[in-house]
Amino acid sequence: MVRRYITVKGIVQGVGFRPFVYKIARENNLKGWVKNTSKGVYIDVEGTIEKINSFTYNLKHKSPIVSKIEEIIIENRQLVNYKGFKIEKSDREKDTVTLIPPDMGICKDCLRDIANPKNRRYRYPFTNCTNCGPRFSIIQKLPYDRPATTMDKFQMCDNCCYEYMNPLNRRFHAQPNACPSCGPKVELIDNCGYKIICIDPIKEAAKFIKKGKIIAVKGLGGFHLSCDAKNKKAVQILRNRKHRPKKPLALMMKDIDTVKKYCNINAKEEEVITSNKRPIVLLNRKISQLPENIAPNNNKLGVMLPFTPLHYLLFDENIEVLIMTSANPSGIPIIYRNKEAIEILKPIADYFLIHNRDIYTPIDDSVVVVTLNKERVLRSARGYSPVYIDIKNKRNILACGSQLKNTFALSKNNKIFISQYIGNIENLETYNRFENILSHIKKIYNLTPSVIAYDIHPNYWSMEYAARQDIEKIPVQHHHAHIVSCMVENDIDDNVIGITYDGIGYGTDGSIWGGEFLLCDYKDFKRVGHINYVRMPGGDAATKEPWKMAISYIYNAYGNEVYKYMPRVLKDRNIGPVLYMIKNNINSPQCSSMGRLFDAVSAITGYTGRITFEGEAAILLESMADMNENSRYNYDIEFKNEKYIINTNRIIREIIKDINIGTGYNFISNKFHNTLMDFSVEMCNIIAEKYKIYKIVLSGGVFQNEILFKGIYEKLLDQGFEVYTHKIIPCNDSGISLGQIVIAGANCEN
Ligand code: ZN
Ligand code: ZN
Ligand code: FE
């Protein structure tokens, strides 16, 4: 007989880990105990060497699907002769980072339960077990036990209690365990706040959906606005009421066969969309009967499968495709409380399908895409967040991120916590949401940052926020943060060439950057190349009006002959005042942004509107390219002030020439994309040659453009470079907080 004391670290709480340990301990006839602590799971076992070996083998290789073991420490101890094996009460320790599990979609076993008329959970919308259901969104503190969640107010009935206490039951210590007689209940409310009296609120809601009504549905992390996606009129009403004219709306489809009916989907995409994380996956749409107003001018549809029992029950009512868009009217963060939902969503929703299981931490749907056969997260939220990353870093740092698609990061004891997607911090509501989630996480981890990292953009909220904190401040350049976030995720910490293509980031020379070639390590960077500067008339506001950037690029290309070459689509614009601003440098900072170059070319090739969502003009341009064309435009690379500058003037002139001879926009878009790939690769060759660095890191929101991303990646590989890309960390500004925290850590090493 021997005794082993085992510590297991990782995602091991709230995922059925203790019952699993209990089971394998009993199978191997071991005595002792298992316990949850805020440091991880402790196991103390006695038995024969063979049995203990078989136990630890199972521990490593057969752990529950949702768990993620990061470390197992095994120590020898003196025998104490334990009698049986038991699960001991949790205790809380200081100075630790326990990983909180994310919320998970309903598992197959629970789905079977709700479909079986003989099961006591038949049609019960809050069915869950240790393998599925809410976690992060209902946890109030650690360790994760029922009283520390919003399920505390429901007293388990005898049947549920029995399951909860029985180590061999699938619901053993499933903290949100509930059933129709003791758990949360669903209600249907009209938009005057009155309860609809009916036998089955879900069936009733489905009836209204089929009549073209808009229903606010409470999900795991907040409310969705939902309507029948096949009803064009209903979709339009939802758009009008939500003041969302064109931004694509997310869909929820009944099952994977329905997804295949409307979208082209490969094996990897199927694996991702059916996973228990249940993200929104961007898929290539088929030509179908689905109304165009779901995602106007877009080749992709954002699709997810049902992830709660309640969703499945809705689809049981002969519904095939639902709009399921986050309930966040006009830029405010996702709504998650019943009362506020009814108050705020009253002008949008006709009915509310609500329930009394409270959401403690709101969390949006995640958005992912499969590119080059890898899953790439574009918005990390439900099912994916929080994300934890290991790093050597002794200080407690808060990185407050950027402005758009914001997240924050906190570091403690060599571990970085990255928050879920919070949103664009441009109003008080989103800022308050940021503050609330931040203080919740600080409390959970008992953490007081001593350093704050923030973006150097003087107009961003974070500048002012950092100024108010009485701790060490480390300003971080936006694109340095982008590249470092991708370096960390790929575990590289030597020098790299970073290509960062994105919308807007404040540069260290006071200009707006976004088409940058940076030599980077964690500590510092050197800007070695960029797209040529043009004026950005009106500053950051120009991002809303692509035509203004078009004027600026055309002026740069033709100087005073600008009017002579103005393409027809731009002629009736109010060009004079914009040109005046550009020429006289009135509120027109220099800008080298790839996002703005896309805007300009999109406006030259027919995008006429004002931007209604980020990236709109660029997405239109991308969707026009049908990539069978190999030609490209000419460009120049100049060496000025120790930097290589991509001069785009010839590109613009040749595009305008193409337009004048009647070349199709598809062809132009195609050629433009090819050109960007070419100059990116040529720049890498020049810079690599000069600095002897052959690792290339790609980051920045423009890499969400699939054509450009794939093209640059593959061409760089062909040339023999090592190329690193984002997977779990978004390439857009949601990744900034991770970059900031690592850069800050590298700059305060003591
Ligand atoms: Zn389950
Ligand atoms: Zn019960
Ligand atoms: Fe950015």
Side-chain angles (χ1 to χ4, degrees):
M1 292 282 277
V2 290
R3 177 176 166 209
R4 296 283 184 270
Y5 190 81
I6 305 169
T7 311
V8 189
K9 292 182 177 172
I11 298 187
V12 287
Q13 289 196 15
V15 292
F17 204 80
R18 285 172 301 168
F20 156 72
V21 170
Y22 181 90
K23 221 162 104 183
I24 58 172
R26 297 238 310 203
E27 278 165 11
N28 288 293
N29 201 19
L30 305 184
K31 310 280 192 268
W33 51 263
V34 55
K35 178 160 79 174
N36 249 352
T37 75
S38 37
K39 272 190 179 152
V41 166
Y42 291 135
I43 305 164
D44 194 351
V45 281
E46 293 180 344
T48 65
I49 288 245
E50 300 81 61
K51 293 289 188 194
I52 286 196
N53 286 344
S54 127
F55 172 83
T56 48
Y57 179 87
N58 286 335
L59 193 65
K60 282 177 194 157
H61 297 102
K62 295 192 173 158
S63 58
I65 24 172
V66 202
S67 64
K68 196 176 131 209
I69 296 179
E70 295 198 327
E71 194 182 6
I72 297 184
I73 306 161
I74 303 178
E75 298 161 64
N76 294 332
R77 294 267 169 104
Q78 287 268 312
L79 281 172
V80 286
N81 293 314
Y82 287 118
K83 290 288 171 280
F85 191 88
K86 51 178 200 225
I87 296 177
E88 298 221 319
K89 263 189 96 172
S90 308
D91 46 55
R92 190 185 161 90
E93 289 173 47
K94 269 191 181 166
D95 286 339
T96 52
V97 180
T98 310
L99 314 192
I100 307 171
D103 302 295
M104 284 156 292
I106 182 173
C107 74
K108 289 203 174 75
D109 293 320
C110 287
L111 262 183
R112 255 194 300 273
D113 288 349
I114 64 166
N116 175 7
K118 293 199 181 100
N119 192 290
R120 66 191 192 93
R121 288 192 178 80
Y122 178 56
R123 295 186 59 80
Y124 182 57
F126 305 96
T127 302
N128 66 81
C129 72
T130 45
N131 299 319
C132 74
R135 298 287 187 276
F136 179 62
S137 62
I138 60 165
I139 291 175
Q140 293 162 324
K141 47 185 185 282
L142 290 174
Y144 173 55
D145 275 323
R146 187 164 173 119
T149 72
T150 60
M151 284 298 291
D152 187 33
K153 66 179 182 185
F154 301 99
Q155 183 84 42
M156 271 186 275
C157 69
D158 289 350
N159 282 332
C160 286
C161 241
Y162 174 79
E163 294 165 336
Y164 184 89
M165 307 294 280
N166 178 1
L168 298 173
N169 193 286
R170 198 172 95 240
R171 298 197 165 89
F172 176 71
H173 283 206
Q175 309 304 346
N177 189 28
C179 77
S181 61
C182 68
K185 292 195 174 28
V186 55
E187 280 184 349
L188 188 63
I189 310 280
D190 70 14
N191 66 358
C192 299
Y194 294 111
K195 186 175 163 178
I196 307 282
I197 307 297
C198 58
I199 296 165
D200 188 329
I202 297 175
K203 285 191 175 186
E204 202 67 17
K207 271 187 214 159
F208 286 126
I209 286 172
K210 281 188 268 189
K211 280 184 193 153
K213 299 291 181 196
I214 291 158
I215 317 283
V217 181
K218 189 173 178 182
L220 270 181
F223 277 82
H224 285 112
L225 288 162
S226 184
C227 71
D228 181 359
K230 289 158 126 185
N231 182 339
K232 189 175 174 186
K233 226 174 104 191
V235 175
Q236 199 51 49
I237 292 170
L238 175 55
R239 281 199 177 280
N240 297 347
R241 290 187 190 165
K242 211 185 165 192
H243 304 296
R244 184 165 163 165
K246 286 187 274 179
K247 190 175 178 186
L249 296 167
L251 298 174
M252 185 180 275
M253 295 193 182
K254 186 185 177 70
D255 50 28
I256 188 70
D257 289 334
T258 311
V259 177
K260 288 175 181 170
K261 184 170 154 191
Y262 294 109
C263 301
N264 292 310
I265 172 167
N266 63 34
K268 182 69 188 173
E269 288 164 337
E270 180 165 349
E271 178 196 318
V272 171
I273 202 170
T274 54
S275 80
N276 64 357
K277 297 175 179 170
R278 286 289 201 271
I280 295 172
V281 186
L282 303 184
L283 298 172
N284 288 316
R285 73 199 288 176
K286 286 183 179 170
I287 295 169
S288 75
Q289 299 297 314
L290 287 181
E292 175 61 23
N293 62 353
I294 293 171
N297 301 320
N298 202 314
N299 300 335
K300 303 232 176 212
L301 290 176
V303 185
M304 63 184 146
L305 290 172
F307 56 87
T308 68
L310 189 146
H311 297 143
Y312 275 96
L313 295 170
L314 263 180
F315 281 103
D316 271 355
E317 302 305 309
N318 199 17
I319 289 174
E320 203 188 15
V321 189
L322 288 172
I323 298 284
M324 274 284 179
T325 177
S326 299
N328 51 348
S330 55
I332 71 169
I334 187 168
I335 288 169
Y336 66 106
R337 290 191 183 104
N338 293 346
K339 219 181 120 207
E340 108 198 309
I342 294 169
E343 260 162 38
I344 298 172
L345 300 175
K346 201 157 42 181
I348 306 178
D350 300 302
Y351 297 94
F352 295 82
L353 192 57
I354 64 168
H355 57 74
N356 55 347
R357 185 178 69 198
D358 294 334
I359 296 166
Y360 191 78
T361 302
I363 185 160
D364 283 82
D365 299 316
S366 292
V367 181
V368 309
V369 65
V370 174
T371 319
L372 298 165
N373 213 36
K374 296 251 164 41
E375 177 182 18
R376 309 197 188 253
V377 178
L378 303 180
R379 186 207 278 165
S380 180
R382 176 180 48 76
Y384 291 78
S385 282
V387 171
Y388 297 89
I389 287 189
D390 288 314
I391 187 104
K392 285 194 194 74
N393 180 2
K394 289 191 197 79
R395 300 286 291 270
N396 291 352
I397 306 172
L398 162 65
C400 49
S402 188
Q403 184 96 338
L404 301 175
K405 301 180 160 70
N406 205 25
T407 63
F408 64 82
L410 283 164
S411 68
K412 179 180 180 178
N413 297 347
N414 299 332
K415 182 89 63 204
I416 297 172
F417 166 100
I418 308 166
S419 81
Q420 73 268 40
Y421 165 93
I422 294 169
N424 298 348
I425 308 221
E426 45 193 13
N427 52 40
L428 191 64
E429 287 87 350
T430 318
Y431 171 76
N432 288 340
R433 178 65 53 89
F434 171 91
E435 280 264 88
N436 289 342
I437 297 175
L438 175 61
S439 75
H440 170 51
I441 299 301
K442 284 203 297 205
K443 204 159 70 200
I444 272 196
Y445 289 128
N446 188 19
L447 194 155
T448 317
S450 60
V451 179
I452 182 165
Y454 61 97
D455 198 289
I456 59 171
H457 198 306
N459 299 339
Y460 281 2
W461 69 281
S462 53
M463 180 71 103
E464 195 203 325
Y465 180 82
R468 277 187 275 127
Q469 317 295 316
D470 194 18
I471 51 179
E472 188 180 345
K473 295 166 189 56
I474 300 189
V476 177
Q477 202 279 326
H478 189 89
H479 303 101
H480 186 207
H482 267 307
I483 296 300
V484 169
S485 74
C486 190
M487 291 170 70
V488 175
E489 133 158 60
N490 288 289
D491 223 357
I492 22 175
D493 63 358
D494 42 353
N495 292 317
V496 302
I497 300 172
I499 307 182
T500 151
Y501 287 159
D502 80 343
I504 280 185
Y506 197 79
T508 47
D509 62 353
S511 301
I512 303 298
W513 295 4
E516 310 304 312
F517 292 77
L518 309 177
L519 297 187
C520 289
D521 58 23
Y522 286 177
K523 214 165 176 162
D524 208 356
F525 73 94
K526 178 181 161 80
R527 189 189 196 202
V528 290
H530 61 88
I531 298 178
N532 65 294
Y533 279 135
V534 298
R535 296 272 165 201
M536 197 174 170
D540 288 5
T543 56
K544 302 277 186 216
E545 290 173 290
W547 68 273
K548 290 186 178 168
M549 286 314 298
I551 306 277
S552 189
Y553 268 96
I554 295 170
Y555 173 71
N556 211 61
Y558 293 103
N560 286 331
E561 286 191 304
V562 53
Y563 281 103
K564 196 170 141 196
Y565 291 95
M566 197 58 69
R568 203 176 308 133
V569 282
L570 293 170
K571 274 197 169 135
D572 52 357
R573 294 282 179 179
N574 199 2
I575 300 170
V578 175
L579 265 182
Y580 185 81
M581 285 174 81
I582 295 168
K583 284 186 191 171
N584 296 291
N585 187 16
I586 299 164
N587 187 21
S588 298
Q590 307 258 42
C591 149
S592 59
S593 152
M594 179 61 102
R596 300 292 77 76
L597 175 59
F598 260 94
D599 276 1
V601 174
S602 188
I604 294 171
T605 57
Y607 181 89
T608 51
R610 210 183 135 81
I611 294 287
T612 65
F613 62 93
E614 201 195 341
E616 183 175 352
I619 291 169
L620 177 72
L621 188 61
E622 183 189 2
S623 68
M624 287 195 303
D626 42 12
M627 298 305 285
N628 310 312
E629 171 51 43
N630 284 319
S631 58
R632 58 254 304 128
Y633 295 111
N634 290 297
Y635 55 84
D636 300 289
I637 293 178
E638 296 152 355
F639 189 67
K640 263 193 232 160
N641 308 324
E642 291 298 298
K643 288 174 193 68
Y644 295 96
I645 314 290
I646 304 154
N647 185 324
T648 55
N649 286 344
R650 281 209 284 164
I651 302 176
I652 299 296
R653 285 190 217 128
E654 289 177 22
I655 290 176
I656 287 177
K657 208 161 131 199
D658 263 348
I659 288 174
N660 288 340
I661 58 169
T663 310
Y665 290 159
N666 299 39
F667 186 87
I668 294 174
S669 167
N670 203 147
K671 219 167 147 181
F672 174 65
H673 279 87
N674 290 342
T675 312
L676 305 183
M677 292 170 204
D678 269 23
F679 73 54
S680 305
V681 175
E682 191 178 336
M683 284 287 278
C684 286
N685 276 318
I686 297 172
I687 295 164
E689 181 79 357
K690 179 162 177 184
Y691 294 96
K692 308 291 170 221
I693 297 173
Y694 303 94
K695 286 186 177 165
I696 315 274
V697 172
L698 309 180
S699 189
V702 171
F703 282 110
Q704 290 172 129
N705 179 316
E706 204 177 314
I707 298 172
L708 191 65
F709 174 63
K710 273 189 188 166
I712 292 179
Y713 180 85
E714 279 164 357
K715 283 185 174 28
L716 286 172
L717 278 192
D718 277 354
Q719 309 261 321
F721 288 105
E722 282 174 54
V723 194
Y724 298 92
T725 61
H726 283 286
K727 285 171 275 296
I728 57 163
I729 303 298
C731 66
N732 57 48
D733 287 2
S734 288
I736 290 290
S737 63
L738 172 62
Q740 287 175 340
I741 209 161
V742 173
I743 293 165
N747 281 289
C748 59
E749 268 163 301
N750 46 47

